[in-house]
Amino acid sequence: MSVALLWVVSPNSEVSNGTGFLDSVREGNRVPGRDRNSMWKERIKKGGRQRWNFGSLNAGLRYSDLGGSRTGNGSSFAVQSSLVASPAGEMAVSSEKKVYDVVLKQAALVKRQLRSPDDLEVKPDIVLPGNLGLLSEAYDRCGEVCAEYAKTFYLGTLLMTPDRRRAIWAIYVWCRRTDELVDGPNASHITPQALDRWEARLEDIFSGRPFDMLDAALSDTVSRFPVDIQPFRDMVEGMRMDLWKSRYMNFDELYLYCYYVAGTVGLMSVPIMGIAPESKATTESVYNASLALGIANQLTNILRDVGEDARRGRIYLPQDELAQAGLSGEDIFAGRVTDKWRIFMKKQIQRARKFFDQAEKGVAELSSASRWPVLASLLLYRKILDEIEANDYNNFTRRAYVSKPKKLLTLPIAYARSLVPPKLTSSSLAKT
């Protein structure tokens, strides 16, 4: 299941880059006697523009490039309060509560930074290999990737200030590379240990020790904006889930997965997008709205790709709700569009739209330059739900997509709506 990036509107198909990555995965060894910075510099010096294949962003990435050995259980959340009773009579923390604890942490981080405006985008320089020219080139490469795979959003980022624009590109590239590890052409060769190494490499990025050029762009970004590492860790956790979990017993389980692989993007992006100075909404409510957009996008992905996922042996639909509708996994794998299926899909689409509605309330609270690309993404992704309905809920053999004319008509609408300033009260954004 692909990550539902906030800005992904119509990503191109994955393109295999050959066997270089496969061979390096099998090798799993770093060239002895060479430190990380020297390898990074050498790669940049040797790597002309033509060597970067954006069809597979991890092209040429050695298995050992994912970092050193790492231990740990991959736990992402500090379980706190809001206990609920489980069917077994035990007390457990709901996924929504777990995620909201992370939301509160991210919002608190931003508020601390905002109390010291001079520190918002100017922090001590990190130690980067190479020079400023190489760092600028790294950001340019990230921009090329964004332009290739998220054309509409890329155009919107051009309205942002240069620093914010480049930071969004860097985050986009890291998310895409992470997703490609488990959902790209070489996914069958990725192991939990490889993801552990990728997470260790993430720690290095946040510590100012990037391994390659694309890492360097993100490392610089997180040194300049109040971006916390937790959502990035959580996205890696979502990739781990895709390696072993192919069924979700209820929406609570599915919600947590959607947060991991998509809601995290919203939490990563808000510190970059910025909240409008005139906004009276609470920081937590803006973060909640960005989280809702990620959840909505991922639910839409799931509903659009039911047939495609079934052919891979996966069902990203709540099992208990399927049973309540009189449906089973056999119905999914058989691809039968029945009245029961239509009724079930209507309820699933209704839920996704509620998340979109919540998200839309938060877009107006973002800085003026950030509203258009986010709102365009929201409106276009929400239209996929309309297309599923237009296909008579046949998401087994027909892929719902928004036509190019409809996209072109949506962009000016999104732009006009993005000009509406935040409301002077915070009543429109309620906490959930």
Side-chain angles (χ1 to χ4, degrees):
M1 174 61 63
S2 297
V3 172
L5 301 178
L6 281 177
W7 43 77
V8 174
V9 174
S10 56
N12 295 344
S13 301
E14 301 285 1
V15 180
S16 174
N17 66 308
T19 61
F21 180 79
L22 306 184
D23 293 339
S24 61
V25 167
R26 297 188 187 102
E27 291 172 10
N29 295 313
R30 187 184 300 280
V31 179
R34 297 171 65 190
D35 63 82
R36 179 170 298 186
N37 283 355
S38 64
M39 293 178 69
W40 190 90
K41 292 178 183 177
E42 184 175 333
R43 288 184 184 192
I44 294 178
K45 291 177 181 177
K46 290 183 178 180
R49 200 167 285 268
Q50 70 280 4
R51 289 191 55 178
W52 289 80
N53 180 351
F54 296 138
S56 181
L57 296 179
N58 294 317
L61 184 69
R62 290 182 179 274
Y63 181 84
S64 58
D65 288 352
L66 298 182
S69 61
R70 188 175 188 274
T71 59
N73 59 7
S75 176
S76 297
F77 290 115
V79 177
Q80 296 179 12
S81 57
S82 187
L83 298 179
V84 296
S86 69
E90 300 173 347
M91 301 306 291
V93 178
S94 70
S95 294
E96 188 173 356
K97 171 58 182 173
K98 293 178 182 178
V99 173
Y100 191 58
D101 287 342
V102 180
V103 168
L104 292 177
K105 178 183 176 183
Q106 309 310 305
L109 176 65
V110 170
K111 284 190 287 190
R112 285 199 303 270
Q113 293 288 347
L114 291 177
R115 292 192 190 104
S116 179
D118 293 338
D119 190 49
L120 178 60
E121 297 183 11
V122 181
K123 295 184 179 180
D125 290 337
I126 58 174
V127 178
L128 287 173
N131 53 42
L132 292 179
L134 293 177
L135 183 59
S136 178
E137 184 180 353
Y139 276 117
D140 288 344
R141 299 288 173 86
C142 291
E144 291 174 14
V145 177
C146 189
E148 176 69 19
Y149 293 104
K151 295 180 177 63
T152 301
F153 186 82
Y154 172 78
L155 292 175
T157 63
L158 298 181
L159 297 176
M160 299 179 182
T161 62
D163 284 349
R164 294 183 187 278
R165 176 169 64 236
R166 297 192 308 168
I168 286 294
W169 293 345
I171 290 177
Y172 173 86
V173 167
W174 184 87
C175 291
R176 186 170 181 86
R177 295 177 91 184
T178 301
D179 179 53
E180 197 173 85
L181 289 173
V182 300
D183 207 39
N186 304 310
S188 61
H189 296 270
I190 294 299
T191 65
Q193 291 73 28
L195 291 177
D196 288 345
R197 293 187 176 96
W198 184 252
E199 186 172 355
R201 176 166 165 167
L202 172 67
E203 303 283 347
D204 287 342
I205 290 174
F206 271 77
S207 298
R209 298 190 299 273
F211 182 81
D212 64 14
M213 175 177 279
L214 300 179
D215 284 357
L218 180 59
S219 191
D220 183 64
T221 289
V222 301
S223 76
R224 296 179 181 277
F225 291 88
V227 179
D228 186 60
I229 193 173
Q230 190 63 51
F232 293 82
R233 289 175 179 151
D234 290 343
M235 179 173 281
V236 177
E237 184 65 19
M239 302 304 111
R240 288 192 183 97
M241 290 179 69
D242 262 335
L243 293 182
W244 64 271
K245 192 174 180 67
S246 60
R247 301 289 189 280
Y248 293 83
M249 298 307 298
N250 49 49
F251 184 69
D252 188 66
E253 288 189 7
L254 186 61
Y255 179 90
L256 186 58
Y257 172 75
C258 289
Y259 160 71
Y260 279 148
V261 302
T264 49
V265 182
L267 303 190
M268 297 173 192
S269 303
V270 170
I272 312 300
M273 299 285 189
I275 299 174
E278 64 272 24
S279 172
K280 301 300 181 181
T282 65
T283 307
E284 291 88 349
S285 65
V286 177
Y287 266 94
N288 240 12
S290 69
L291 169 65
L293 181 53
I295 300 294
N297 283 350
Q298 188 62 23
L299 289 176
T300 301
N301 272 353
I302 289 170
L303 299 179
R304 180 195 62 194
D305 299 337
V306 169
E308 178 183 331
D309 290 331
R311 287 187 285 275
R312 300 168 59 191
R314 296 180 174 275
I315 299 177
Y316 292 93
L317 297 168
Q319 295 293 301
D320 61 343
E321 295 179 20
L322 282 170
Q324 291 168 10
L327 299 166
S328 67
E330 292 182 1
D331 295 305
I332 305 296
F333 294 126
R336 292 190 286 262
V337 181
T338 63
D339 288 340
K340 289 182 179 179
W341 176 251
R342 293 184 182 94
I343 293 173
F344 172 79
M345 281 300 302
K346 287 178 182 178
K347 292 181 179 179
Q348 301 302 310
I349 289 175
Q350 182 181 30
R351 172 189 283 151
R353 283 182 172 142
K354 287 182 179 179
F355 279 103
F356 276 122
D357 292 343
Q358 181 187 350
E360 188 172 0
K361 294 176 183 177
V363 175
E365 311 300 330
L366 297 175
S367 63
S368 57
S370 301
R371 292 175 204 148
W372 183 39
V374 177
L375 188 57
S377 172
L378 185 155
L379 296 179
L380 288 169
Y381 236 86
R382 186 161 58 187
K383 285 183 178 295
I384 294 176
L385 299 175
D386 300 337
E387 298 301 323
I388 294 175
E389 292 172 331
N391 289 341
D392 193 27
Y393 304 99
N394 180 5
N395 42 9
F396 297 111
T397 60
R398 299 184 65 183
R399 182 179 176 86
Y401 69 94
V402 181
S403 66
K404 189 171 183 179
K406 289 183 180 179
K407 289 179 181 178
L408 294 176
L409 288 173
T410 301
L411 294 181
I413 295 174
Y415 181 72
R417 291 171 63 174
S418 71
L419 299 178
V420 178
K423 294 183 179 180
L424 296 181
T425 67
S426 59
S427 58
S428 62
L429 271 180
K431 296 181 181 179
T432 59

